[in-house]
Each structure stands twice: as C-alpha cells, then as structure tokens.
Amino acid sequence: MPHKQPRGGLSQAEARARLERDGPNALPSARRRAFAEILLATAREPMLLLLIVAGAVYAVLGDPLDAIALGAAIFVIIALTIAQEVRSERTLEALADLSSPRALVIRDGETHRIAGTALVVGDVVLLAEGDRVPADGTLIESSMLRVDESLLTGESAPVSIDDDTPRVFAGTLVVAGSGVVQVTATGVQTQMGRIGKSLQTLQPGTTALQRKTHSMVLKLAVEGLLLSLATVLIFGLLHKQWLEGVLVGVSAAISLLPEEIPVVLMIFFAIGAWRIAKVNVLTRRLPAIEALGSASILCVDKTGTLTLNRMHVARVVAGQSASEQTVLDYGVLSSSPEAFDPMERALHEAAIGGMNGALERLHLQPQALREYPLSREVLAVSRAWRGAGGEVLVATKGAPEAVLAICAIDESQRAAVLSHVRELAAQGLRVLAVAGRTLSSQTLPERQSALAPSFLGLLAFEDPVRPGVPEAIAECYRAGMRVIMITGDHPLTAGAIARAIGLRQAQRAAAGAELESAQGETLRSLIAHTDVFAR
C-alpha cells in the first residue's frame, strides 16, 4: 500500500509538476480521423476503385451517359459512407465527454473543486454520496462508504469500502457514506484505463464478404487485362489497325466489370446502418453490418444490458405483527431522504408517497432525531423519528442475520425467518430485514445493538429484466443464433435472470473459477453446454 498523504494534500506546485509529468487523468480514445482520411480510406476500397476505373474508361471511350451514371453512384456511396462515419465519430466523442467527472480535492490544506482530468497521483480526494469516483485510489478514512462497481464487475450490489477492501476505482459510483482517498493511478494506469488501452490494440479485420469481393476484383482485373491484351494483339495483327484494336480491347475488358455489385453492396450497408441507427445503435464502420448479420453466437452482459441496472422491490414478506405497507414504510424511514443506494432508491419508489408518505401515515415529524449508521458490529442502519405525541419511532433495516441478532425474537422464529431468506436468495433476490420499535422516552441508547426492535418483515430486491429482452432472445433463437449471458454477478442471481429471459440452457451457471480449472475436452464441453457464465 502506498504511503498515505497527509490530510493537507499536495501543494498546487507539486500537482502541476505531476500533471506535466504524467499527463491528464483521461481515458485513452481513438484519434478522430480527419475528413480527408475518411475520404481516402473509402476511395481505397477495391470495389469502389473498380467503379472509378470503369467510369474513367467510359468517359475516355466517349460514352458520357454511362460515365455520368457511374459517377453519380460513386458520389452517393462516398457521401453515405462519410456521413455515417462522421456522425458516429461525433456521437462517440460526446459520450466520452460525459465520462470525466469533477473532483473535490485537498491541496495546500484547502478544498478545491477541479476537473477530473486535472487529478494527479498523490491527490487527496473527498468522496460523498452521489459522486463518481474520478481515479483509482486507496482509502485513508471513511464513514460507511459503499460503492456501485457494476461498471467494472457487473455486480449490481454495492460494495463496502473499508480496511478489508480499501481500494476505489475510477468510474464507479458512491451510493452511500463518505470517504477520503489518496489517488494511486490516473488515466491509462487506472483499471478502466487499462481496459481502454487494451481495446486500442484491437485492429478491425476484413469481413468474409470483403475478402471475397477483393478476390473477385483481382481475378476479374487479371482476366480483363489478359483479354484486353489478346484482343489488341489479334485485332492489330489481323487488321493492322492498332489504335482501333486498343479501343476494342478496352471495351472487351469493360464488359467483364460487374459495376452494379459494389453499388448494391455499399448501398445495402448504408441502409443497414441507417436502420439500426433508428434504434440508437451506432455503426462506426459500414462493413460491421455484414459481421452483425453473419453472427451465430451472441454473448451479452447481464447488468444494464439484459437488466435495467436499477433495483426493484420484488417481494414484501410481512411478519405476524405487520402489514406489507408497514414493512415498506419502516424500510423507507430507515433510508436516507436523498437516496443514492440502489436498494434505498427502490424503497422510495415502492412506498406510496415515498418518505413523505411514510411520515404522514405514521404521524412523524420530518426531521430524523438520530441515525445509527452501518458498522462492523451491526450490518444494519437505523433512524429515529419523533412522533406527533412526543414518542420516538425507530426504523431499522439491514442484513437479515444482523437485524435478527438485535431483535427481540426467539430461536424458532429466527430459524423460520432465515429459512425464508434462503428461499428468496435461491431465486436470485437480495434480501433485507426490517424491524421497528416505538419508545415512550426520547432518550435513545448510544449503541444500535441496544435498540432491541421488533421484527417486521423481509424486503426482496431484484434488478428487473429490461422490457423487450425475452422477445429479443426468442427472436435470436428463431434466427438460429445461440445466446450466452456473461456476468460478474452471483450464479444464483444469474441463473434466475437467465430463466426469466428464456435462455435455453439456464439450468446451470458456470462460475469463473470453474472455467479456470477446466481444460481440454472438459472446457470445450462446458462451453458447448452452458449458456450462463457468472463471477
């Protein structure tokens, strides 16, 4: 672990020197191609060159109508190709601009809000709920810091950042708590930057259709040249009119050129790019349309692709002394009023009227008296509220084992609740327990473990399937494609989603560790008969 920077942070002079040495904190991106480069690359396509040569020959031979027709086709093809690529480049640049968050840093002992690109190694950054982490860093101190790392891992559940997991990564989102971190990597040295840098090494290959058309053009060019030479020689030797023989030879060569093929192919590609652009899919290179059309296996991510990457209350299991609405009300009352945590946001949406609705139904004042944050001792959160009659209502939610440990509940009841928790977890749901208590006195205990609330019920959350996904999967199957889901999520969660969207081989999920240990025929068999890969 690197040496921890004092809370005073770097000096402005040192930060400037490091910025000059290491460069800006920006992800690698492909250099935008100039208009002339796109034009030259388009004109170098063999089939387009074929059209250009044919048009020139028609013009030389004195057939202006054919020359004009081919010239118009060439212009349309080049214009469509350039327009599509320029549009895609501009859109991708705009998306890249959104990935640079601002950062609150300590320099010379004072806090400054700076552009994320100006961060350097050694900077001390303050993180709060709702912040996008601007660079990789090591934890200096925190208060119940929780981060959504789904952008990197595919795991939709937030991760607690503490002494056991003291690292934060660029691009992830702070959903709860606060923290102070020291920047350890910026730009291409971050985990996100390394992914981007590795993608830069990939070079797009030629498609099967491109290889075939290139081969056909070369073959026809050789045949046309040989036929033209033979025609010139025969005509010249027989008739002793060599100039006329050259014209006849060129005409014979032109008759072999299939100038309609490149026109049709390029226009079809352009139409394909236009059609998928209508559903917000960008085509950076037109030949990608062919690759998309020839795909036989589709590998897709789960979080945010097959699912909405937005938690949703799927089940409410009320205890003997509560209703479902009571469980939801106490759940939202134990949450932050301005929630960034996915589960807390889901609770605000599920409870009728959100926080204000719960306060009105339970006749509570709008300001919480006290908050008991998540801690190592108790993996739960509690908030105390003052009632209209002076009483105090305490609402608690957290990991079922932790909440049950501080509840006034006997062993048989605890066992029954935990059994229900396991059933919900087997369905791929994330489960929280909710408890509550009303105190006649406003004197609250110092420790959350001393609250002794009553168990009210369970809340089960899921990341819901994106609308239209099951229909899209079914359409892929009808088209003869195999669909594979790859996710960083838990195998149980992955399996539940796979069954919900209709994957054919959803009965089992292979985890990363299983893939690493499999070799040879075992690995080939595993991949051939598994459509869900988790962790």
Side-chain angles (χ1 to χ4, degrees):
M1 183 181 298
H3 176 70
K4 293 183 178 179
Q5 185 73 23
R7 283 296 301 271
L10 297 175
S11 66
Q12 292 286 10
E14 176 63 19
R16 284 193 296 270
R18 294 189 183 191
L19 185 61
E20 291 179 4
R21 182 192 68 193
D22 300 333
N25 175 36
L27 297 181
S29 60
R31 181 181 63 86
R32 182 177 177 181
R33 297 198 302 172
F35 177 84
E37 287 182 277
I38 298 175
L39 178 61
L40 184 60
T42 304
R44 278 202 302 258
E45 283 294 321
M47 295 301 285
L48 194 59
L49 286 173
L50 182 66
L51 287 178
I52 294 172
V53 170
V57 172
Y58 280 136
V60 170
L61 290 177
D63 194 343
L65 291 179
D66 287 340
I68 291 172
L70 279 178
I74 293 169
F75 176 79
V76 170
I77 290 171
I78 292 177
L80 286 173
T81 304
I82 292 176
Q84 181 64 40
E85 292 206 12
V86 169
R87 177 188 177 190
S88 296
E89 293 279 357
R90 288 176 177 172
T91 305
L92 291 170
E93 283 182 355
L95 291 174
D97 289 341
L98 298 177
S99 66
S100 179
R102 297 185 64 80
L104 186 63
V105 302
I106 299 177
R107 288 182 179 172
D108 292 322
E110 298 180 354
T111 58
H112 301 270
R113 180 73 67 176
I114 64 172
T117 54
L119 278 178
V120 298
V121 173
D123 262 327
V124 176
V125 180
L126 306 181
L127 297 176
E129 211 171 293
D131 286 347
R132 183 73 64 179
V133 178
D136 289 3
T138 301
L139 191 67
I140 295 177
E141 61 183 68
S142 72
S143 174
M144 302 302 113
L145 183 64
R146 301 178 72 212
V147 176
D148 177 358
E149 296 182 346
S150 60
L151 185 68
L152 285 173
T153 66
E155 173 63 70
S156 53
V159 176
S160 295
I161 308 299
D162 51 29
D163 291 338
D164 293 331
T165 55
R167 300 289 307 281
V168 293
F169 302 100
T172 57
L173 179 68
V174 178
V175 298
S178 60
V180 181
V181 300
Q182 180 188 3
V183 174
T184 57
T186 61
V188 297
Q189 300 303 320
T190 64
Q191 293 296 321
M192 184 68 71
R194 290 174 184 174
I195 295 172
K197 189 175 181 180
S198 68
L199 292 177
Q200 280 191 313
T201 63
L202 299 177
Q203 296 296 327
T206 56
T207 66
L209 188 56
Q210 283 179 314
R211 291 192 295 271
K212 289 179 180 179
T213 53
H214 291 182
S215 175
M216 183 182 70
V217 168
L218 181 60
K219 181 180 178 182
L220 290 175
V222 172
E223 291 177 353
L225 180 60
L226 292 176
L227 178 63
S228 179
L229 290 174
T231 302
V232 171
L233 288 173
I234 293 171
F235 196 93
L237 290 173
L238 291 176
H239 301 283
K240 306 300 181 181
Q241 296 179 3
W242 293 98
L243 179 58
E244 197 169 326
V246 170
L247 294 177
V248 172
V250 171
S251 297
I254 287 294
S255 67
L256 291 176
L257 298 179
E259 60 268 15
E260 299 87 356
I261 293 179
V263 176
V264 172
L265 287 178
M266 295 298 287
I267 290 178
F268 277 2
F269 284 162
I271 291 174
W274 172 73
R275 287 181 63 188
I276 65 174
K278 292 170 67 176
V279 290
N280 300 321
V281 178
L282 292 175
T283 305
R284 200 168 193 173
R285 300 288 183 268
L286 287 183
I289 300 296
E290 179 207 339
L292 182 63
S294 62
S296 58
I297 298 177
L298 179 64
C299 296
V300 294
D301 178 41
K302 178 188 75 69
T303 306
T305 303
L306 299 176
T307 65
L308 293 172
N309 195 20
R310 188 178 68 235
M311 283 294 179
H312 163 75
V313 178
R315 295 274 301 279
V316 180
V317 181
Q320 296 179 353
S321 59
S323 65
E324 290 187 3
Q325 186 60 54
T326 300
V327 176
L328 285 170
D329 283 345
Y330 274 74
V332 77
L333 288 172
S334 63
S335 305
S336 171
E338 300 294 333
F340 288 93
D341 181 276
M343 292 186 180
E344 292 196 344
R345 286 205 306 268
L347 272 173
H348 279 272
E349 294 173 1
I352 299 173
M355 176 75 75
N356 291 334
L359 291 172
E360 290 176 6
R361 282 187 289 274
L362 296 173
H363 309 293
L364 302 174
Q365 296 183 13
Q367 296 297 325
L369 290 174
R370 180 169 180 174
E371 176 184 351
Y372 295 87
L374 194 74
S375 66
R376 282 173 170 257
E377 180 187 10
V378 181
L379 294 177
V381 175
S382 297
R383 280 184 170 82
W385 304 81
R386 179 178 288 113
E391 73 282 6
V392 174
L393 181 145
V394 176
T396 301
K397 76 169 184 305
E401 296 83 354
V403 172
L404 292 174
I406 65 173
C407 281
I409 188 172
D410 60 40
E411 285 302 319
S412 62
Q413 291 176 309
R414 180 179 286 107
V417 172
L418 291 178
S419 175
H420 207 156
V421 169
R422 287 190 291 271
E423 291 177 6
L424 294 171
Q427 300 171 31
L429 302 175
R430 305 187 186 282
V431 186
L432 294 179
V434 177
R437 182 182 180 185
T438 300
L439 304 172
S440 57
S441 169
Q442 293 186 18
T443 302
L444 293 166
E446 289 299 316
R447 299 167 67 89
Q448 186 176 196
S449 56
L451 288 173
S454 300
F455 173 74
L456 296 177
L458 300 173
L459 293 168
F461 299 81
E462 67 176 354
D463 183 4
V465 171
R466 188 178 293 276
V469 165
E471 293 78 9
I473 297 296
E475 188 170 349
C476 287
Y477 286 143
R478 287 194 296 271
M481 295 182 66
R482 178 186 174 196
V483 182
I484 295 176
M485 183 173 78
I486 303 174
T487 177
D489 219 332
H490 192 280
L492 286 176
T493 306
I497 294 295
R499 290 188 292 274
I501 64 176
L503 282 190
R504 286 178 177 170
Q505 300 185 89
Q507 63 273 16
R508 70 180 300 271
E514 187 178 356
L515 276 176
E516 288 179 348
S517 61
Q519 294 181 353
E521 188 58 39
T522 302
L523 179 60
R524 283 189 289 272
S525 177
L526 176 64
I527 294 174
H529 298 95
T530 305
D531 285 349
V532 183
F533 295 90
R535 286 299 189 206

